Amino acid sequence: MGQYVAPIRDMQFVLHEFLKVEDQLKELPAHAETDADIINQVLEEGAKFTSEVLFPLNHSGDREGCHHDAQAKTVTTPKGYKEAYKQYVDGGWAALACDPEFGGQGLPVVLNNSFYEMLNSSNQAWTMYPGLSHGAYECLKEHGTDEQKRLYLPKLVSGEWTGTMCLTEPHCGTDLGLLRSKAIPNEDGSWTITGNKIFISAGEHDMSENILHLVLARVPDAPEGSKGISLFLVPKFLPNQDGTVGERNPIFCGAIEEKMGIHGNSTCQMNLDGAKGWIIGQPNKGLNAMFVFMNAARLGVGMQSLGLTEVAYQNALVYAKDRLQMRSLSGVKAPDKPADPIIVHPDVRRMLLTAKAYAEGARAFSSYVALQIDRELGHPDEEVRKEAADEVALLTPIIKAFITDNAWVATSEAMQVYGGHGYISEWGMEQYVRDARINLIYEGTNTIQSLDLLGRKILMDNGAKLRKFGEKVRAFVEENGTDEAMSEFVTPLGELGEKVGKLTMEIGMKAFQNQDEVGAAAVPYLRVVGHLVYSYFFAQMAKIALEKKDSGDKFYEAKLQTTRFYFARLYPETAMLIRQARSGAANLMALDADLF
Ligand SMILES: Cc1cc2nc3c(=O)[nH]c(=O)nc-3n(C[C@H](O)[C@H](O)[C@H](O)COP(=O)(O)OP(=O)(O)OC[C@H]3O[C@@H](n4cnc5c(N)ncnc54)[C@H](O)[C@@H]3O)c2cc1C
């Protein structure tokens, strides 16, 4: 069932040559010792684990799905999932980027990021179990009490216990202000929680000893809307003080959803029937605490889509070199064969290069953001920490929405390379398309990400964070503007930077008159800024490739050609997107709802 080989060469290029990660990490006391050997060793071991243990379970897990036993109230994951999870825990993978104080290995986020790309390429549905646990770890670490940290963090870090996020209810997904689950205080400081949650990923399963649910609910007399939401920790089994599991808590899976993809992940309806929980942070400040989890998950969803883009590309490439159909328009290329391999056809190359460029762009982009998170968490200079945090805040909705939108295109193009065989499940390509589709929806739909970027991160901030990023772009353009070899990349980058500045001002002015202008422009706007980010990173990678192209290593030639493809074929959609974003709200709002 296809193949997955971790793209270690490109990962090493991004980490060592593009980001110069070793030098960057030397500035961070916690990671100053993380050298190239450690990084390369983790990449190689990670590649083995993901391709040998997880990838073989991807297709079978999709076919089999999860089983819910309504009587026993249990969920069984597909064959092999549990055993693979044990190997993951025994190998110490859950602890990779966690704090040594709680048993973690203390490696940087930027390295964990590459490992997560591999996990997701191998098996997105499986990876959601540990992925959500890592989000729960980050949330508890930042907002938990010392006692909660002592009791729960070592279990999440080791992977013995997993985590979930329980936000969504039948009547509220995007608008969490509508949620109805209730929490009543008990005399001993705990809370009794009642309510129904839906679509809870990894809500019930058989892979870990205990599950820690992070649940949003309302306390008595809470204000209406999102200002009245609190966050609770609700374990499946109540823990004893020594860390062993005790009594079963009444938080049960009522059913699992039948869905389009990620069949190996249990998407559960969870009923809380007087379950015992403990508050995380302050009453009515739950969304604030949950945002730590949500931001981690948004980056995680971007990585899911990068993973799928890469594995879909790899398989389509093998197929395109093997499948013989028709002859090349410019003359026979394989005279010894009855037809040429389809990779000779320009449009097959367009499809492959689309996936390749989106994978390489996303890899550079997400690794850059992960490194900024390391700086935000661990740089000794407060000013640097703040700058890094601002940049991560600006780029997070772009990671979530741009990478996932592109992966939907890329997996679909990769499937198309197979012709009819792509549509037949035994080849595995249609699974990537199905799995990729959810990434545009959960963790805040891509529309919500666009509103977050344009409304909250840019306009409400008077464009300050965007300007900072723009200054970096401008400095790069100025520095390389006179280099003739770079002009094919630097010129469009500089032009787009200017256009984004003007477009932002224009939408901001219109929004003073009518806030619907923000909603009408946000989605194409995010894609335009996404292309600004990719142009900036591709141009930097091209510079390195130009410097090394005579080294004899063909990798640099490939990088240069992929960058040329990006600027020639993907970047130009910015012209159309800018027109759409400028076209205003009237063409969307004028039609009376009754006349649709
Ligand atoms: C497989 C799967 C796994 C999931 N896992 C989890 C999980 O682990 N935990 C959890 O809590 N939830 C989970 N979810 C829920 C998911 O996060 C929500 O489905 C998602 O946030 C959208 O909410 P909704 O489905 O209620 O859609 P709605 O909020 O009803 O939105 C419907 C449409 O309206 C649009 N819309 C809504 N408001 C606006 C607005 N202001 N402006 C413009 N457009 C708007 C949306 O973009 C969307 O297109 C999961 C969902 C699925 C399908």
Side-chain angles (χ1 to χ4, degrees), residues 347-423:
D347 198 59
V348 170
R349 288 169 160 257
R350 178 193 59 75
M351 295 189 273
L352 290 169
L353 278 162
T354 298
K356 180 171 165 61
Y358 277 146
E360 291 180 19
R363 186 168 299 122
F365 177 31
S366 62
S367 300
Y368 174 85
V369 173
L371 183 60
Q372 294 308 311
I373 296 175
D374 282 318
R375 288 161 68 78
E376 173 188 351
L377 295 175
H379 200 283
D381 183 337
E382 194 185 334
E383 192 56 31
V384 175
R385 286 203 301 276
K386 164 135 190 7
E387 256 183 43
D390 281 351
E391 200 166 54
V392 172
L394 176 77
L395 299 177
T396 296
I398 307 174
I399 289 252
K400 161 54 168 90
F402 196 58
I403 298 181
T404 60
D405 278 345
N406 295 341
W408 175 236
V409 172
T411 51
S412 180
E413 297 285 24
M415 187 180 99
Q416 186 82 6
V417 168
Y418 282 69
H421 300 273
Y423 200 69

Side-chain angles (χ1 to χ4, degrees), residues 165-168 173-174 199-201 259 262 267 438 441-445 447-448 451:
M165 56 197 312
C166 298
L167 289 68
T168 306
T174 302
F199 300 165
I200 305 308
S201 300
K259 55 192 191 292
I262 53 165
T267 308
I438 185 58
I441 297 173
Y442 57 20
E443 268 332 304
T445 62
T447 303
I448 298 304
L451 289 169

Side-chain angles (χ1 to χ4, degrees), residues 277-299:
W278 288 268
I279 198 159
I280 300 175
Q282 299 301 308
N284 302 326
K285 301 270 188 248
L287 268 190
N288 184 36
M290 197 61 165
F291 257 111
V292 175
F293 201 153
M294 282 151 85
N295 279 329
R298 284 171 183 179
L299 298 172

Side-chain angles (χ1 to χ4, degrees), residues 422-531:
Y423 200 69
I424 303 300
S425 46
E426 72 172 274
W427 288 92
M429 297 307 284
E430 54 85 41
Q431 184 190 344
Y432 296 134
V433 181
R434 285 187 288 105
D435 285 356
R437 189 62 184 84
I438 185 58
N439 299 346
L440 286 67
I441 297 173
Y442 57 20
E443 268 332 304
T445 62
N446 284 1
T447 303
I448 298 304
Q449 303 304 320
S450 309
L451 289 169
D452 180 45
L453 176 73
L454 178 57
R456 233 163 60 87
K457 304 281 171 61
I458 295 183
L459 297 180
M460 274 166 70
D461 178 51
N462 286 322
K465 292 188 190 74
L466 181 67
R467 258 196 309 281
K468 276 252 160 77
F469 187 78
E471 278 160 22
K472 288 189 180 179
V473 172
R474 205 167 306 117
F476 180 82
V477 169
E478 269 171 30
E479 198 181 307
N480 296 282
T482 52
D483 181 347
E484 220 171 280
M486 282 294 288
S487 70
E488 59 179 311
F489 314 120
V490 168
T491 306
L493 170 64
E495 282 171 8
L496 189 56
E498 304 238 321
K499 284 180 187 163
V500 166
K502 279 194 197 135
L503 179 65
T504 309
M505 293 257 285
E506 193 180 311
I507 301 168
M509 296 303 284
K510 284 200 229 170
F512 277 125
Q513 309 294 323
N514 177 6
Q515 280 292 314
D516 271 343
E517 294 290 349
V518 177
V523 168
Y525 179 87
L526 183 142
R527 277 199 75 73
V528 174
V529 183
H531 277 297

Side-chain angles (χ1 to χ4, degrees), residues 542-553:
K543 188 177 156 99
I544 301 167
L546 279 169
E547 283 161 8
K548 298 195 176 163
K549 82 174 188 344
D550 298 328
S551 65
D553 185 343

